[in-house]
Structures are given as structure tokens and as C-alpha cells.
Amino acid sequence: MTTVQGPTASRRRLRTALRAAREKAELTQEFVAEAMDWSLSKLIRIETGRVSISTNDVRALLSLYRIDGSPEADELIALARVARQKPWWQDSRAAIPAHYAQYIGLEVEASAMRCFQSSVIPGLAQTKDYARAVVTNRTPGQIRPDELDTRVDVRMRRKTEILGRDEPPEFDIILDEAVLRRAIGGAHVHREQLEHLVALAASPTITIQVVPFSAGAMTAAGSFVILQFPDDADDDVVYLESALLENFIERPMETAPYHSEFKWLSSIALSPTDSTSFIEKVAGEL
């Protein structure tokens, strides 16, 4: 039996298992939806993980799939219970985009994160003032002051929940030199942000590297985060983020190129020690 994680990972695993059980029972989505007295769209949303499902409905599906009473059924019911738990950011959902809430759910359950950023410091490594400047710059005139406060508070809470836990994830960060040179929030805020990066680099679970301009051509992949999970049953997830697009990639064949890209970026970047010295140098120039 696999280990039950938090609500987001449990929902991912549950959707995959339910779809596999239906296919093993050789039942179509149309047949199951009719038998359950559901709309077809509801079953599709359940099997894609876009909505949660009650334990009673899981039991009914398992009976229909003829696997009720089995150890597999017990595990799926347990997953359904965990998947319906409310996460700590639930009360802030109204102020944060849906894709961001989904990302937080995956991030909080990850055992390792590989992040490449070409435009800003990654959220988990941001200071409060820098985070406020980033959110303000990305949503000029589009966000109310209370929403701004909530988004910044959520970003700071993420740091506590993830980097501050007893066993924090491995966090490998690769930054384009442009990120260090772009003074978001003004010189004072940016200098404090760079000094914070230097402090983070001293953590045994955090590695920071910088790709200098002198390295030549940069990746065309854009900024991305690779999330890995403690249970082998959970596939890696790649999160792509830009000003115009947020997207999750979950199929192993599609996430593999990002692992290769991250490995290449690491090979052309400065070493962690040299990167720290480089960040200190840039901070000193401000």
C-alpha cells in the first residue's frame, strides 16, 4: 500500500486509480455516469481531478467496478477522505488565482523542487517587500489593497509551511543573471532580497546557482519548476509560469525534457559557492 499524503496528492492519485479501475472493469464513462445517475461531465471532472468526490460516491463506484471490500478499495476510500480535507490556504482562495492554489497544493507535498527562473526570484525565496513589489508590478491597477495583502501573506506562509518544516524539501534554484540585475521594488528592496538569497544558500537543503551572461545562449524553455514527491506512485509535475500562461505538465514523457534542461542549466551555471559570491557582488553594487 502506498503512503497517503495531503489533499492535492491524494486527489491526483485517486483520479488515476479510479480511471484505471473503470478501464479494468471495461466500463465506458457513459455507462458509469448513467449507472451513478450523474452527468457525464461530472465523471470526467472526477477522473481529471478537477473536483473532489465523497467517500460514499467512491464506495458506490468501487461496487460498480466490482472491487469493493478489497485492500485496493480501502486505500482508495482513505485517499478520498484525505482529498476532501481543507488546506491552510482555503480561507484565502477568493484572493488567489485557481492555478496558484493548485500549485501551492502540489508544492506543500513535494519532497524535492527544481526551479529555474529567468525573470524574478522564486516565490519561496522572496522577502516580503520584494513579494509585494512583484505582485504589484504583475497586476498594476487590477488588485485591491486587501487582495494584495492576502497574496503577500500567503506567499510568506508558504515559506513557513515548506522551508520551515522539520524535514524541508530539497530546493535547487537556478537563476538567470538577469534576475539579479532587475531591481524590482527599488535598490533598497532588491539589495535586501539578494542578501536574503545569500542567507538561504547556507541551508543544507537549498542550492542556488546563477547562469551568468557570459555562459552564452539561454534556454528557450522559460521559467519552470519541477516538483517531485516522496511516493513513487506520484509522477513528477512541471509547472510553467509566465505573464500570459500557467500550465501543469504531468505525463512522464512530457516532464522528462525539463529534467534534462535543468541538468544542462546546472552544468553551465556557476558553482553554488561561486554563485553565492556573485550574488554578494551584485548586491554590493546596488
Side-chain angles (χ1 to χ4, degrees):
M1 181 180 291
T2 54
T3 302
V4 175
Q5 301 295 323
T8 303
S10 295
R11 183 180 295 181
R12 290 181 67 222
R13 196 178 308 159
L14 181 63
R15 77 180 184 197
T16 302
L18 288 177
R19 184 170 62 248
R22 176 182 58 76
E23 292 172 348
K24 186 176 181 180
E26 299 182 343
L27 300 176
T28 65
Q29 289 180 321
E30 290 79 5
F31 177 87
V32 172
E34 184 176 351
M36 294 290 293
D37 197 24
W38 292 345
S39 66
L40 178 59
S41 63
K42 176 177 178 177
L43 179 61
I44 292 173
R45 290 196 301 271
I46 289 171
E47 290 194 350
T48 55
R50 289 160 58 191
V51 297
S52 59
I53 179 173
S54 70
T55 53
N56 286 337
D57 282 345
V58 169
R59 287 190 177 94
L61 282 178
L62 299 179
S63 178
L64 185 63
Y65 299 160
R66 300 184 294 279
I67 58 174
D68 52 317
S70 67
E72 178 186 0
D74 292 340
E75 180 177 357
L76 296 184
I77 292 169
L79 287 173
R81 289 196 184 101
V82 177
R84 293 181 67 84
Q85 292 177 355
K86 294 187 182 300
W88 59 260
W89 60 92
Q90 179 67 34
D91 293 339
S92 303
R93 276 186 180 273
I96 60 178
H99 71 271
Y100 184 38
Q102 184 179 357
Y103 175 74
I104 296 173
L106 293 169
E107 178 187 66
V108 79
E109 296 170 20
S111 58
M113 296 180 289
R114 315 276 183 250
C115 174
F116 169 68
Q117 261 291 352
S118 59
S119 57
V120 298
I121 304 296
L124 286 180
Q126 293 177 4
T127 64
K128 188 170 185 175
D129 288 341
Y130 184 92
R132 180 175 292 276
V134 168
V135 176
T136 301
N137 289 346
R138 287 190 171 183
T139 55
Q142 302 175 23
I143 185 170
R144 300 194 311 269
D146 60 320
E147 290 181 345
L148 173 61
D149 290 341
T150 298
R151 291 196 190 186
V152 172
D153 289 345
V154 167
R155 192 160 298 194
M156 294 302 102
R157 176 76 182 272
R158 282 170 56 204
K159 294 172 62 175
T160 301
E161 293 288 337
I162 297 168
L163 301 183
R165 66 194 190 204
D166 291 340
E167 295 184 7
E170 296 178 9
F171 191 18
D172 294 342
I173 303 170
I174 299 179
L175 303 173
D176 185 356
E177 181 180 339
V179 176
L180 306 182
R181 299 291 183 183
R182 187 173 294 109
I184 295 176
H188 176 70
V189 168
H190 195 62
R191 183 172 60 253
E192 285 191 340
Q193 174 60 72
L194 296 184
E195 291 170 349
H196 181 62
L197 277 183
V198 172
L200 286 177
S203 169
T205 59
I206 298 176
T207 300
I208 299 177
Q209 290 182 269
V210 176
V211 180
F213 292 146
S214 60
M218 177 52 67
T219 177
S223 300
F224 62 90
V225 183
I226 303 170
L227 301 167
Q228 298 174 285
F229 304 92
D231 198 303
D232 292 338
D234 297 318
D235 292 330
D236 296 349
V237 175
V238 172
Y239 177 57
L240 306 178
E241 180 184 16
S242 71
L244 301 177
L245 173 69
E246 292 84 24
N247 190 30
F248 294 92
I249 300 175
E250 301 184 52
R251 295 179 180 177
M253 288 183 61
E254 296 176 358
T255 59
Y258 289 91
H259 284 279
S260 298
E261 195 73 3
F262 194 86
K263 183 176 181 180
W264 174 73
L265 285 165
S266 181
S267 72
I268 67 170
L270 300 173
S271 70
T273 300
D274 289 345
S275 293
T276 299
S277 298
F278 191 85
I279 295 170
E280 290 175 328
K281 175 178 177 293
V282 174
E285 296 171 356
L286 293 172

